[in-house]
Every structure is written in structure tokens, then in C-alpha cells.
Amino acid sequence: MAQYAILLYSPAPADPMDITEAELAAHEVFNKEIEKRGTQILYPQALQPSTTATSVRGGAITDGPFIESKEVLAGFFLLEAKDLDEALEIAKLVPTSPGGGVEVRPIFEPPAE
């Protein structure tokens, strides 16, 4: 099975403590769908709000996220899926906060020697 990073974006500051009951219920439905499909989520993580981020660029340390944006990375998980098409189908099912989105990126596998 191939592995894909599923990156979850939400409007700033993306505080996981602000999740609504409806969003929690949507995540339960999503988890059940993942089980039915026989795919596997590895290492699911929610991130603390973007207000807790510290960035380092060119040796300079600054408060806040690295990129100025209305959306911030709110969480991620690794997904084992048979191929990119399956990963994208699952990504369409990921519950997101209003104004948020999902990015699917294959995990780099170095070429065999």
C-alpha cells in the first residue's frame, strides 16, 4: 500500500478546542467510512492553534506561522491507500471546518538501488 500525507487546513487560528458537536459527529462518520474501505489512517494529529507557532527563517526566530495566510495547517495524518485515486476519494470525505480544505501529498520513497 502507498502512503499519503493528508494535510488539513482551517481558517486561522485553527484552535482544535473550537470544534463543534457537528464537526465531531462528522469525524465519527468519516472514521467509520475509513474502516469500511479497509484503508488505514496512521498517526492522526491535530495541531495547537497557529497562534502558538514559532517560525525560523534564515536563522531569525519569529512568533507565528511561517506563511501569511487566511488558512493554516490544522492537522495531518498518514493514509495507507492502494493508489492516489483511492487517497483522493478518501480526502473528499474528510470533514473540514467551513473555509478549510485538504491537501493530499504522496510520501517520498527513495528509488531502490
Side-chain angles (χ1 to χ4, degrees):
M1 298 276 268
Q3 290 187 345
Y4 299 88
I6 308 297
L7 308 173
L8 312 174
Y9 292 88
S10 292
D15 188 340
M17 297 305 292
D18 290 340
I19 193 166
T20 66
E21 290 295 323
E23 289 171 316
L24 282 173
H27 281 281
E28 289 298 321
V29 170
F30 174 71
N31 290 336
K32 289 177 183 168
E33 181 63 28
I34 290 297
E35 285 179 29
K36 280 194 321 192
R37 290 173 178 255
T39 55
Q40 188 172 6
I41 291 178
L42 309 171
Y43 200 65
Q45 297 295 310
L47 299 175
Q48 290 197 20
S50 61
T51 54
T52 65
T54 304
S55 299
V56 179
R57 185 175 190 179
I61 298 173
T62 59
D63 290 340
F66 182 65
I67 297 173
E68 290 294 323
S69 175
K70 291 180 183 179
E71 292 180 344
V72 295
L73 183 62
F76 63 93
F77 60 88
L78 294 181
L79 174 69
E80 283 192 340
K82 66 180 179 183
D83 57 25
L84 179 60
D85 289 336
E86 182 178 46
L88 292 171
E89 285 301 313
I90 290 169
K92 287 192 238 176
L93 301 174
V94 174
T96 59
S97 37
V102 176
E103 179 179 343
V104 177
R105 195 178 301 183
I107 299 296
F108 177 73
E109 294 183 33
E113 292 185 30

